[in-house]
Amino acid sequence: MTDHRPGVEAARADTPRFSPLYRQIKGLITRGLQAGEWKPGEPIPSETELAARFGVSQGTVRKAVDELAAENLLVRRQGRGTFVATHHEERTQFRFLRLRPDDGGPPGRMESRILECRRLRAPVEIARALGLRGGETVVFIRRLLSFEQRPTVLDDIWLPGALFRGLSAERLGASVGPLYGLFESEFGVRMIRAAEQLRAVAADREVATLLGVAPGSPLLQAERVTYTYQDRPVEVRRGRYVTDSFHYRSALG
Amino acid sequence: MTDHRPGVEAARADTPRFSPLYRQIKGLITRGLQAGEWKPGEPIPSETELAARFGVSQGTVRKAVDELAAENLLVRRQGRGTFVATHHEERTQFRFLRLRPDDGGPPGRMESRILECRRLRAPVEIARALGLRGGETVVFIRRLLSFEQRPTVLDDIWLPGALFRGLSAERLGASVGPLYGLFESEFGVRMIRAAEQLRAVAADREVATLLGVAPGSPLLQAERVTYTYQDRPVEVRRGRYVTDSFHYRSALG
DNA sequence: TAGTGGTCTAGACCACCGT
DNA sequence: CGGTGGTCTAGACCACTAA
């Protein structure tokens, strides 16, 4: 790279007064990830190699990789290398599902059933959340998650139609792992982070029937917006959780 | 300090195979915080000074402080110094209260009313969560939080009696800031982190009355265990939130 | 044993803050 | 201006993994 000295950067002067070198390196690595230069699950080049490529010291690369690892874009494995994060792994499996059995242990046998999958014009709120122009089509998915045969989660999912061409109930049914793994492998869309808004709601008749609870039962509702690279929203999800013997874990730091 | 070289550490050999130097430094700084060597809101010595005191390089101190800052025990302020975190500040004010108005903006005028404050023998579940022996006394507090005159949060709080001698309704009423600020200043108990379990429940008659909702209304319930240094539990809290126009924010990363 | 990430050092310089 | 944290470097050595 050229012109990455702090002073030079400062001279550029716009919104962020100063962008340190390691952040620029971070940006370059992110660009490589986004462009698919290294695929999920694969290792990226070693720190010394990246340092040579970018013409900076290893310490600077290290700090860039540190941040990317903290954001779960990369995974460090001592003695082996640094790998591109993937949703096809035990460890990342439940990163976005915060529901846990009250008795502690990991969730037991989980079964996913697709109830619906069709295309429709995006409702205004969905379009707004996804940054779509009015009238664009979205893929709508409704699915039911059961733990040990007990229906527990009803998810309604909206995805930008343009990014998920060819997504169908059959395709979903044929897949085994987590949805985000499918999205990553089949559509090249990598879910990076999400924000949820939680509230307690009363189950309406339709939802109550699907979840096997009495109408009016209290349900935990999670409205999620999921983002890919560049903080681009690519999924809206409304989940309803039966919290009789499960709870949603939240860590306050 | 003496004997902090990696090799020496490795030779000690027990559970953690190897404890890097910066973690030991981190432990020493934490001990200072816990012992009250530096008070909340005050600056700790500069990095160079700490490096000299501990006989390590500045970079090693830096990494220790980095972690402590990431855990919100310290706050770095460029050009000024590194300060001991405190609950008496705007920025940390809402660190543990994740409820937000649906319309985005920050919570409006908040009013806290103490409904109850008394001592009682710890119920078994509370005693277990707080690591108390059966029959020890706890302080029980019930309080109501209202936003813009609208009752929104009902908190039941249990604290170890031994740590909070002299805590009374009057004392609570006389205080202005957040509870954790009071606990920090008056009782020397600093809340560091917490874990919550969320579920949807139906309001019973008593709770419904206090919150001004219909009995059976769905409420978001948060069961919190709060920890101080050394991961010692020092508070159990059960909150019930009215989520008609508020939601609980959760970030998935 | 070779290669990777992880730690530690010493020193330089920069950005930011208060005086 | 002096002092603080923030960045960057170059080089050494350690811990871990796989072949």
Side-chain angles (χ1 to χ4, degrees):
Chain A
M1 9 172 5
T2 60
D3 274 355
H4 44 56
R5 257 64 202 172
V8 177
E9 287 314 312
R12 256 190 221 162
D14 42 16
T15 320
R17 303 274 248 271
F18 165 66
S19 171
L21 185 47
Y22 72 84
R23 266 195 208 291
Q24 305 175 45
I25 302 300
K26 183 183 171 189
L28 292 177
I29 298 175
T30 304
R31 205 174 308 169
L33 290 171
Q34 194 172 356
E37 183 170 357
W38 315 291
K39 300 271 184 287
E42 291 179 357
I44 67 170
S46 74
E47 295 182 352
T48 36
E49 193 172 332
L50 287 174
R53 176 190 305 192
F54 297 135
V56 302
S57 81
Q58 191 205 351
T60 300
V61 169
R62 177 152 256 279
K63 190 146 188 184
V65 172
D66 276 345
E67 290 203 357
L68 291 169
E71 294 167 16
N72 295 305
L73 290 183
L74 297 176
V75 179
R76 290 177 170 289
R77 286 180 196 146
Q78 179 168 161
R80 304 194 12 184
T82 300
F83 298 76
V84 181
T86 169
H87 286 283
H88 296 285
E89 287 188 8
E90 262 313 312
R91 307 186 329 288
T92 56
Q93 204 73 282
F94 292 98
R95 184 148 70 89
F96 289 83
L97 179 56
R98 301 279 261 260
L99 214 61
R100 293 289 183 282
D102 286 341
D103 55 43
R109 294 193 322 278
M110 186 178 90
E111 187 199 359
S112 170
R113 199 152 66 85
I114 304 295
L115 305 180
E116 255 185 275
C117 178
R118 58 176 213 271
R119 260 141 240 281
L120 43 83
R121 299 210 173 281
V124 282
E125 290 170 21
I126 303 297
R128 202 168 48 82
L130 290 176
L132 302 178
R133 278 188 295 278
E136 286 196 75
T137 81
V138 291
V139 181
F140 171 78
I141 301 168
R142 169 168 280 184
R143 70 144 180 200
L144 185 66
L145 253 44
S146 300
F147 295 96
E148 312 284 359
Q149 317 282 12
R150 179 79 188 78
T152 304
V153 178
L154 179 66
D155 276 327
D156 285 345
I157 301 171
W158 291 265
L159 304 163
L163 290 179
F164 291 88
R165 301 197 184 288
L167 180 55
S168 64
E170 297 70 45
R171 194 84 163 265
L172 288 167
S175 155
V176 279
L179 269 190
Y180 288 174
L182 176 74
F183 294 168
E184 168 185 306
S185 309
E186 302 293 316
F187 302 93
V189 178
R190 318 212 22 231
M191 304 303 189
I192 306 293
R193 69 171 192 93
E196 292 193 329
Q197 300 191 352
L198 308 176
R199 44 173 38 89
V201 301
D204 62 31
R205 212 164 47 230
E206 183 183 14
V207 170
T209 304
L210 292 170
L211 285 170
V213 298
S217 298
L219 297 176
L220 180 57
Q221 173 177 291
E223 290 186 310
R224 177 191 299 182
V225 178
T226 319
Y227 301 85
T228 186
Y229 294 104
Q230 324 272 54
D231 270 343
R232 190 162 76 126
V234 286
E235 179 195 53
V236 170
R237 184 186 287 221
R238 187 204 308 274
R240 282 72 136 227
Y241 304 148
V242 178
T243 54
D244 295 337
S245 56
F246 286 77
H247 60 264
Y248 183 106
R249 300 206 72 171
S250 174
L252 315 182
Chain B
M1 22 174 344
T2 61
D3 273 355
H4 44 55
R5 257 65 204 176
V8 176
E9 288 313 313
R12 258 191 221 163
D14 43 17
T15 321
R17 302 272 247 269
F18 164 66
S19 171
L21 184 48
Y22 73 83
R23 264 193 210 293
Q24 304 174 45
I25 302 301
K26 182 182 171 188
L28 293 177
I29 298 175
T30 303
R31 204 173 310 167
L33 291 171
Q34 195 172 355
E37 183 170 358
W38 314 292
K39 300 269 182 288
E42 291 178 358
I44 67 171
S46 75
E47 294 181 352
T48 36
E49 194 172 332
L50 288 173
R53 173 189 310 193
F54 297 135
V56 301
S57 81
Q58 193 205 352
T60 300
V61 169
R62 177 151 256 279
K63 192 148 186 184
V65 172
D66 276 345
E67 289 202 357
L68 290 169
E71 295 166 15
N72 295 304
L73 290 184
L74 296 176
V75 179
R76 311 188 93 122
R77 287 182 197 145
Q78 180 167 161
R80 306 197 13 195
T82 300
F83 298 75
V84 181
T86 169
H87 287 284
H88 297 285
E89 286 189 9
E90 261 313 313
R91 307 189 328 291
T92 56
Q93 204 73 282
F94 293 97
R95 185 147 70 88
F96 288 83
L97 178 56
R98 301 279 261 259
L99 215 61
R100 293 288 183 283
D102 287 341
D103 55 43
R109 293 194 321 278
M110 185 178 89
E111 185 199 1
S112 171
R113 199 152 65 85
I114 304 296
L115 305 181
E116 255 184 276
C117 177
R118 59 179 213 270
R119 261 142 239 281
L120 42 82
R121 299 210 173 279
V124 282
E125 290 169 22
I126 303 297
R128 202 169 50 79
L130 290 176
L132 302 179
R133 279 189 295 278
E136 285 196 77
T137 80
V138 292
V139 180
F140 172 76
I141 301 168
R142 169 167 282 185
R143 70 145 181 200
L144 184 67
L145 253 45
S146 300
F147 295 95
E148 313 284 358
Q149 318 282 13
R150 180 80 189 75
T152 304
V153 178
L154 180 65
D155 277 327
D156 285 346
I157 301 172
W158 292 266
L159 304 163
L163 290 179
F164 291 88
R165 301 197 184 289
L167 181 55
S168 63
E170 297 70 46
R171 194 85 164 262
L172 288 167
S175 155
V176 280
L179 269 191
Y180 287 174
L182 176 74
F183 294 169
E184 168 184 306
S185 309
E186 302 292 315
F187 302 93
V189 178
R190 317 210 23 227
M191 304 303 190
I192 305 293
R193 68 171 194 92
E196 291 194 329
Q197 299 191 353
L198 307 177
R199 46 175 33 92
V201 301
D204 62 29
R205 214 170 38 235
E206 183 183 11
V207 169
T209 304
L210 292 170
L211 284 170
V213 299
S217 298
L219 297 176
L220 179 57
Q221 173 179 290
E223 290 185 309
R224 176 190 301 182
V225 179
T226 319
Y227 301 85
T228 186
Y229 295 105
Q230 322 273 54
D231 270 343
R232 200 174 90 171
V234 286
E235 181 195 52
V236 171
R237 182 185 288 221
R238 187 204 308 274
R240 282 75 136 222
Y241 304 148
V242 178
T243 53
D244 295 337
S245 56
F246 287 77
H247 61 265
Y248 183 107
R249 300 206 71 171
S250 174
L252 315 182

